[in-house]
Amino acid sequence: MSEDNGDRAGFAAASEDKHRERMQRKKELIDRKVARATIERGVLVVNTGNGKGKSSSGFGMLARSLGHGFKCGVVQFIKGSFATGEEAFFRRFEELDYHVMGEGFTWETQDKQRDIAAAQAAWAVAARMLGDEAYDFVLLDELNIALAHRYVAVDDVLAAVAARPPRQHVVITGRGAPDALIEAADTVTDMRVVKHAFKAGIKAQKGVEL
């Protein structure tokens, strides 16, 4: 072996040793955090912000819950005037109670009282799920929109979430989540827009937005 090849081999071995040491320290740190996380209860997750992915994340958690055999409920507060892929897919599951209660975006309906009535009807279904221990997972899609427009009272949502069965998981999506809901949540993600195809004139696509 040449001296140059030997130097490279030595450097590679040293680099591998340093990598192994770093990963070992990281593993020890993560193991300690995992060991400290001993509480087992239902969590409240809020996905908000102007970026794409809020509902998609919620439906990803729904798929995970169904995979575990959970009894699940979905109430969609806004998306009702057009068909979506998630609705077509998830309605196949018998253990899922799926309700599309909205009538579309507020600028489409242009009827405030109708929007309020639709939101209140959706909230009545959601409140029933939140009070029923048979539901392990509840997704309230775009509820934040109804809260932002004050079509549903934030205090009613906070009270229902606080009184829900101890092991029930709840995911609430939509931009403009109120501060009180963010404070009450266990996990909050704020989706940020970096780029969006719509701004370049590309219409909503099946499998991506629909």
Side-chain angles (χ1 to χ4, degrees), residues 156-189:
D156 290 347
V157 174
L158 293 175
V161 167
R164 76 189 192 277
R167 298 179 71 86
Q168 185 186 86
H169 304 299
V170 179
V171 179
I172 298 176
T173 74
R175 64 182 62 197
D179 292 340
L181 182 61
I182 290 174
E183 179 64 26
D186 298 291
T187 299
V188 179
T189 300

Side-chain angles (χ1 to χ4, degrees), residues 45-51 53-56 58 77-79 139-148 171-178 181-182 188-191:
V45 178
V46 173
N47 295 334
T48 192
N50 294 329
K54 298 178 289 294
S55 295
S56 298
F77 280 76
I78 300 296
K79 298 166 184 171
L139 171 59
L140 305 180
D141 187 39
E142 305 287 5
L143 171 57
N144 287 334
I145 303 294
L147 294 175
V171 179
I172 298 176
T173 74
R175 64 182 62 197
L181 182 61
I182 290 174
V188 179
T189 300
D190 191 334
M191 306 290 188

Side-chain angles (χ1 to χ4, degrees), residues 7 11 13 18 30 39 48 51 64 88 99 129 156 160 174 179 181:
D7 289 343
F11 176 80
K18 289 181 179 179
I30 293 174
I39 301 170
T48 192
R64 192 174 295 149
H99 296 265
M129 291 180 178
D156 290 347
D179 292 340
L181 182 61

Side-chain angles (χ1 to χ4, degrees), residues 125-144:
V125 174
R128 173 182 60 79
M129 291 180 178
L130 294 173
D132 190 342
E133 64 182 8
Y135 290 88
D136 303 296
F137 177 95
V138 177
L139 171 59
L140 305 180
D141 187 39
E142 305 287 5
L143 171 57
N144 287 334

Side-chain angles (χ1 to χ4, degrees), residues 33-104:
K33 291 181 178 180
V34 170
R36 287 197 298 268
T38 59
I39 301 170
E40 188 171 352
R41 64 167 175 79
V43 295
L44 172 59
V45 178
V46 173
N47 295 334
T48 192
N50 294 329
K52 178 176 166 51
K54 298 178 289 294
S55 295
S56 298
S57 174
F59 279 99
M61 285 181 271
L62 172 64
R64 192 174 295 149
S65 295
L66 289 168
H68 285 293
F70 289 178
K71 168 67 175 177
C72 300
V74 173
V75 179
Q76 291 191 285
F77 280 76
I78 300 296
K79 298 166 184 171
S81 62
F82 52 87
T84 60
E86 59 259 27
E87 180 186 356
F89 176 78
F90 282 108
R91 280 196 183 279
R92 305 172 188 176
F93 293 87
E94 294 182 0
E95 59 270 51
L96 174 60
D97 190 6
Y98 200 121
H99 296 265
V100 180
M101 305 290 292
E103 296 192 56

